């Protein structure tokens, strides 16, 4: 079992930056691939970024490529999402997730989820 807790969300102006954190407890964090997803009101949950268990591989949605950077610190059991050049369309609840098997871009592949953190970007 893995428990995930996101933090770092908030209200920011367009063009600003935020860094989200996902703190994990329970089973060995370093054995899990991690992902970030987001869900805006009335929309499906969508893939944002993912990282392999050792941080060697990262993947991004086209909509955030070049603006967002995902990383992890296995010694601190924490994954991060640095978000730069934020746009109003980035407004959503952001969720982190853990996958026991491999890096994936589909929500159904992930085994554990956090409760989410709200990110609001004003224009």
């Amino acid at each position: 079992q893995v428990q995930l807790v996101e933090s770092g969300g908030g209200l920011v102006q367009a063009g600003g930056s935020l860094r989200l954190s996902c703190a994990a407890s329970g089973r060995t964090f370093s054995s899990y691939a991690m992902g970030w997803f987001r869900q805006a009101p009335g929309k499906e949950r969508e893939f944002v970024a993912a990282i392999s268990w050792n941080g060697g591989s990262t993947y991004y949605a086209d909509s955030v490529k070049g603006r967002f950077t995902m990383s992890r610190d296995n010694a601190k059991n924490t994954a991060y999402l640095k978000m730069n050049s934020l746009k109003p369309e980035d407004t959503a609840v952001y969720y982190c997730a853990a996958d026991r098997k491999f890096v994936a871009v589909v929500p159904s592949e992930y085994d554990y989820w956090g409760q989410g953190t709200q990110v609001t970007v004003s224009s």
Side-chain angles (χ1 to χ4, degrees):
Q1 190 78 9
V2 174
Q3 293 80 42
L4 303 173
V5 179
E6 302 96 334
S7 61
L11 174 64
V12 64
Q13 289 189 332
S17 299
L18 285 174
R19 189 179 79 158
L20 305 184
S21 298
C22 174
S25 60
R27 293 287 181 90
T28 305
F29 173 74
S30 61
S31 65
Y32 290 84
M34 298 295 296
W36 284 97
F37 292 78
R38 66 187 182 187
Q39 189 166 17
K43 295 190 175 181
E44 297 286 323
R45 190 168 297 191
E46 66 172 358
F47 170 74
V48 176
I51 192 167
S52 59
W53 66 274
N54 64 353
S57 299
T58 51
Y59 306 85
Y60 298 95
D62 288 343
S63 59
V64 307
K65 203 171 293 183
R67 299 188 299 123
F68 291 11
T69 302
M70 185 172 185
S71 61
R72 66 189 298 161
D73 185 338
N74 286 343
K76 295 183 178 179
N77 283 6
T78 303
Y80 304 97
L81 184 68
K82 182 66 188 301
M83 305 185 295
N84 296 326
S85 303
L86 283 162
K87 304 175 181 179
E89 51 264 43
D90 294 319
T91 296
V93 177
Y94 282 71
Y95 299 89
C96 70
D99 189 330
R100 290 174 294 184
K101 301 175 293 295
F102 46 75
V103 177
V105 301
V106 178
S108 60
E109 293 290 339
Y110 285 79
D111 303 293
Y112 303 103
W113 290 84
Q115 82 291 347
T117 185
Q118 176 71 47
V119 171
T120 303
V121 184
S122 63
S123 58

